Amino acid sequence: MNQTAKETKSEAPLNTPPEPSAAASGAFDKASENQRHTAPSPRSKASRHRLFLILFFLLLAAWLGLGYLRYNQQFISTEDAFINGNQTQIGPEVSGLLQTTPWQNNKDVQKGDVLFTLDPTPYQLAVDAAKAGLSAAKREQQTADAAIITAQAELLRQEAAAQQARDHLYRLTNIKNKQFVSEQALSDAQSALAVAKAAVEQARAQLDQTKASAGARGSENDRIKAAQAKLALAEYNLSQTVVRAPMSGRLANYSIEPGQPVSAHQTVCSIVATTGLWVDANFKETELGEIRVGQPAQIESDIYPGHVFKGHVLSIAAGAGNAFSLLPPQNATGNWVKVTQRVPVRIVLDDTDTQRHLPIGTSTTTRIELTKNPEKFMQSLLGIIGLSGLVTPSKANPH
């Protein structure tokens, strides 16, 4: 029996701690329960943090949304807006072969720059021929003037002969002794006077005809005027062989080469103005009631996002865009469906930046200011909480 007790004692684990007493175990459980009640669990702390973040972001979104609405109430905006500007089609006034084409496409030109020239040879020959024609007309006028002088002299001679015949007849008629004057002599004198009078009338008619043929004297003569006009036309055609830029701008569709034949009034290139641009903004008809001529506007080109161009409303179109189309809509039909129309509004750019080229036809976002001094976006945000005065207009974000 003692041996069995020894064996049982030797089989017990050597490192087993002694079991705590009942009193110690009860004190430990009570301390653990108190600790659970006083310190929150990690799961509840994470839930409260998550709830706080959700509420914060909801308040932030509501604040930003209300600020954005307040900011947008000051404007009428549209993305259906495009840059436009003056453009002109360039073509020669005369036909000919291109001689020089010194430019390349999309280059900036100034008013008066030579765009291209034509071969001037045929037009120079026309000028020389017109000058010769003017000289011939002047010589013809001199000949006509001499003929007038000759006709005047002939009239004077015939008038003198008629006066002589009249005096001879008068002497014969007044001779007291009629026996010295025969009837034949008296009849011959009367006939001579009649012939002289007829010669005078003929000379006078000849003078009138010569004057009529000669026309006006000097530079007022019709032949000289016609020759001068022909010369002026030839010189004008010669000058049109040099084609110059009628305005400053940028070349477009400039694809011509020397030796290429061109016809009169044929468009060979275009010039698009880089200044004096405007925006054709198509606003909805429901928005036109708030738009007035002269209202300031903000234009943001898609080419330069973040840069705002200033402008003002110049005019409002007389009708919707489709009213002037080739085939306007027929609204007086049974299957008509109401569609909100858009009306073009022209907005002139006040501060065209030459460093920022705005090609015509490019898209913009256009905002018309409805209030005199609109708030900036940051001011609108702070205005929701009554602190808009903290941001000055010069430092506010324009967006």
Side-chain angles (χ1 to χ4, degrees):
M1 181 177 179
N2 292 336
Q3 187 176 0
T4 306
K6 280 183 182 179
E7 292 176 358
T8 304
K9 187 177 180 180
S10 61
E11 292 176 358
L14 298 177
N15 296 327
T16 301
E19 294 183 1
S21 62
S25 178
F28 178 77
D29 293 338
K30 188 175 182 180
S32 299
E33 185 178 357
N34 292 336
Q35 186 176 4
R36 284 195 301 269
H37 286 291
T38 56
S41 64
R43 182 177 302 174
S44 62
K45 184 183 295 186
S47 299
R48 283 198 296 270
H49 287 171
R50 190 179 303 111
L51 179 61
F52 175 77
L53 288 177
I54 291 174
L55 290 177
F56 174 76
F57 283 114
L58 286 177
L59 290 175
L60 180 62
W63 182 44
L64 293 175
L66 291 175
Y68 182 75
L69 289 176
R70 176 170 174 165
Y71 174 73
N72 274 348
Q73 286 175 353
Q74 306 172 104
F75 304 93
I76 293 178
S77 63
T78 181
E79 294 183 348
D80 189 359
F82 306 92
I83 298 293
N84 210 336
N86 294 316
Q87 54 180 316
T88 181
Q89 309 296 322
I90 306 298
E93 291 289 326
V94 295
S95 303
L97 296 176
L98 289 171
Q99 191 174 52
T100 60
T101 55
W103 294 92
Q104 294 179 353
N105 197 27
N106 301 326
K107 293 294 184 179
D108 290 333
V109 296
Q110 300 299 320
K111 182 179 180 180
D113 289 345
V114 177
L115 300 180
F116 57 89
T117 61
L118 303 178
D119 183 9
T121 302
Y123 299 101
Q124 182 61 55
L125 294 175
V127 169
D128 297 339
K131 288 181 178 179
L134 179 59
S135 299
K138 290 181 178 179
R139 287 194 298 272
E140 290 180 5
Q141 180 61 24
Q142 293 174 353
T143 302
D145 292 341
I148 291 175
I149 295 174
T150 301
Q152 288 175 341
E154 179 64 20
L155 176 60
L156 292 175
R157 189 181 71 81
Q158 294 298 337
E159 288 177 343
Q163 185 63 37
Q164 183 179 6
R166 188 179 296 105
D167 293 342
H168 179 66
L169 178 61
Y170 178 78
R171 285 192 299 270
L172 293 179
T173 305
N174 292 330
I175 292 178
K176 294 181 179 180
N177 192 350
K178 300 296 183 184
Q179 62 182 354
F180 293 104
V181 179
S182 64
E183 292 294 332
Q184 182 64 40
L186 188 59
S187 177
D188 291 342
Q190 291 174 344
S191 298
L193 179 58
V195 171
K197 288 181 178 181
V200 169
E201 294 299 326
Q202 182 179 3
R204 184 174 288 112
Q206 183 64 35
L207 177 61
D208 293 341
Q209 182 179 0
T210 304
K211 287 182 177 181
S213 299
R217 303 293 296 274
S219 59
E220 296 299 322
N221 183 262
D222 293 338
R223 284 189 294 270
I224 293 180
K225 281 186 175 181
Q228 288 175 340
K230 189 174 182 179
L231 175 60
L233 178 60
E235 290 176 341
Y236 173 77
N237 290 337
L238 177 61
S239 68
Q240 293 306 303
T241 58
V242 179
V243 180
R244 300 180 180 273
M247 68 177 190
S248 300
R250 180 162 295 184
L251 285 174
N253 301 322
Y254 189 90
S255 57
I256 52 178
E257 296 293 338
Q260 177 180 339
V262 293
S263 303
H265 308 292
Q266 175 186 347
T267 300
V268 297
C269 63
S270 302
I271 294 181
V272 180
T274 54
T275 58
L277 302 177
W278 66 84
V279 174
D280 287 326
N282 301 304
F283 287 92
K284 296 178 181 179
E285 57 184 317
T286 54
E287 300 171 333
L288 291 182
E290 299 180 281
I291 299 177
R292 300 289 183 271
V293 174
Q295 285 177 323
Q298 301 175 6
I299 300 97
E300 184 176 348
S301 173
D302 290 356
I303 302 176
Y304 309 105
H307 181 81
V308 176
F309 296 89
K310 297 295 184 180
H312 66 276
V313 177
L314 179 66
S315 62
I316 301 174
N322 57 5
F324 304 104
S325 61
L326 182 61
L327 297 174
Q330 299 296 325
N331 294 328
T333 58
N335 56 354
W336 172 78
V337 178
K338 182 177 180 179
V339 178
T340 301
Q341 303 298 321
R342 289 185 177 267
V343 178
V345 176
R346 176 164 293 190
I347 300 172
V348 177
L349 290 171
D350 295 333
D351 56 348
T352 302
D353 190 348
T354 56
Q355 300 300 323
R356 291 180 170 88
H357 175 58
L358 294 174
I360 61 174
T362 54
S363 302
T364 66
T365 300
T366 302
R367 297 185 295 272
I368 296 178
E369 300 177 4
L370 300 180
T371 58
K372 186 175 182 180
N373 294 313
E375 294 179 344
K376 305 304 180 182
F377 182 65
M378 186 58 68
Q379 285 180 302
S380 299
L381 286 177
L382 295 178
I384 299 299
I385 56 177
L387 299 176
S388 60
L390 296 179
V391 179
T392 59
S394 59
K395 296 180 181 180
N397 187 355
H399 299 289

